[in-house]
Amino acid sequence: MFGYTGDYTFVSGENYSSSVPFVQMRAVQAVVGTLLVPLSFAMCQALRMPLVSVWLAAVFVTLENAFIGIARLNVLDNMLLVASAGAVSAFAVVERMHTKQRICTSHIVMLGLALALLLKYRH
């Protein structure tokens, strides 16, 4: 990613080498972290929560300080959270479409991609 070849070992407390594009790597984490808010909003809507609860959940995710700490300590945790929210959201949409007997191939593909991303970041 961004020209990083994987040859640098990240040791705690050490300065980064000039060959490590850590600013770009952190920028990706910031963008992924911001995707969590609209994705949580969409997930709550897909779960058919009341509108007040949907907005409260999005505001709570926005104001949660632990996400900032997670993003600074563990690089892959933001991506894991977004993949988890995407998988739950995709599953809720597929389940809702299944009960209406209108399942669409694109919904199944999105669920598969979300689960694949979730497993990729988990293991």
Side-chain angles (χ1 to χ4, degrees):
M1 180 189 306
F2 302 110
Y4 176 64
T5 59
D7 57 353
Y8 180 79
T9 56
F10 292 92
V11 179
S12 181
E14 243 183 55
N15 290 335
Y16 296 128
S17 151
S18 61
S19 66
V20 178
F22 67 92
V23 174
Q24 292 89 347
M25 294 169 99
R26 291 292 182 184
V28 168
Q29 293 304 311
V31 169
V32 169
T34 58
L35 292 176
L36 190 59
V37 176
L39 192 55
S40 66
F41 186 87
M43 179 181 65
C44 291
Q45 279 186 327
L47 292 171
R48 297 183 187 168
M49 295 174 75
L51 189 59
V52 174
S53 300
V54 171
W55 279 101
L56 275 175
V59 168
F60 289 160
V61 169
T62 303
L63 299 177
E64 178 59 47
N65 285 330
F67 293 133
I68 296 169
I70 285 173
R72 294 179 67 69
L73 294 175
N74 294 336
V75 175
L76 292 179
D77 280 355
N78 269 349
M79 293 185 184
L80 182 65
L81 288 171
V82 169
S84 299
V88 170
S89 185
F91 180 75
V93 170
V94 167
E95 185 64 28
R96 184 175 56 210
M97 292 296 153
H98 179 67
T99 58
K100 292 181 180 180
Q101 296 178 350
R102 290 185 5 206
I103 230 166
C104 184
T105 307
S106 64
H107 293 118
I108 298 289
V109 169
M110 291 303 290
L111 177 60
L113 287 174
L115 289 173
L117 282 174
L118 182 62
L119 288 174
K120 178 188 179 288
Y121 293 127
R122 179 68 183 128
H123 294 287

